[in-house]
Amino acid sequence: MDLSSHLKQPKSLVINSVGEMYICNTLSHSIEKYNPFNESVSTIVENLNFPQNIALDQSGNIFITDSFSKSIKKFDIKNQTISTVISGLNFPTGIAVDKDENIFFADAENHEIKKFNLKTKITTTLVNKGLSYPHGLFLDTLGNLYIADTFNDEIKKLNLSTNQITTLSIEGLSFPESIFVYNSEVYVTDTDNACLKKYDETSRKTDIVLDKNLKKPSALFIDKKGVLYLADKELNQIFKINIKP
């Protein structure tokens, strides 16, 4: 899928319930929508300020970490309107949203992971030590939050029930930016090593999934069919890989 003419440093991508892809286009300060059925690309959010990551809620609304405006924004997919949900942050990057309307986000230049509840408007700091410019987040169905601790070259796992944080023994990472957990395997963009890695939490084995034709892999998403989509922010491309046996 050649989307290079529409992309300017893609840093995040997600797929909605009907199979449409949203792409965080950082250097064009916008969010694009790719329709796989007619292969069209359209801009649905403009005038952002160096957006970093996007996540969807249960209704398909898009939450955006808009780093240079130091805020998190919400794009209402039904009304096609945008609003600021949280402001006063310090270069927000990774983001995840759960079914209870909690927004988990990385406040990167504060080296913290925080939670904001949309109902109560209360912000809670979950992790405030041991991190260095965290980027990508992934929330699994068991209540674990995976953190790309980018400048420490590590992936950390936070148990949201016990607040216990552990470091996964993934070999040889350099500037990991994005994480996705699929079938108990942790997929990581090993950005500065120009490859995609996979880590089995049971065997603690690290494998390289892809290390050819990449320069700066920056974002990934795996759909329900086991198809992995990988964005490269330097090539301005998105690759499609079938990982399901």
Side-chain angles (χ1 to χ4, degrees), residues 23 27 41-42 55 66 68 76 86 105 107 111 114 118 126 132-133 138 144 164 169 179-180 196 199-200 208 226 234:
I23 305 162
L27 292 186
V41 179
S42 57
D66 198 27
F68 278 16
D76 188 299
I86 312 169
F105 62 94
D107 201 4
H111 315 290
K114 295 177 179 177
L118 285 165
L126 302 177
S132 184
Y133 292 93
F138 182 87
N144 298 301
Q164 180 181 3
S169 54
I179 328 159
F180 202 100
L196 173 68
Y199 175 76
D200 188 303
I208 293 176
E234 186 166 319

Side-chain angles (χ1 to χ4, degrees), residues 63-81:
F63 289 82
I64 308 160
T65 51
D66 198 27
S67 61
F68 278 16
S69 74
K70 301 184 177 183
S71 66
I72 292 175
K73 298 184 185 298
K74 175 186 175 181
F75 180 71
D76 188 299
I77 203 69
K78 182 179 179 180
N79 298 322
Q80 299 287 291
T81 55

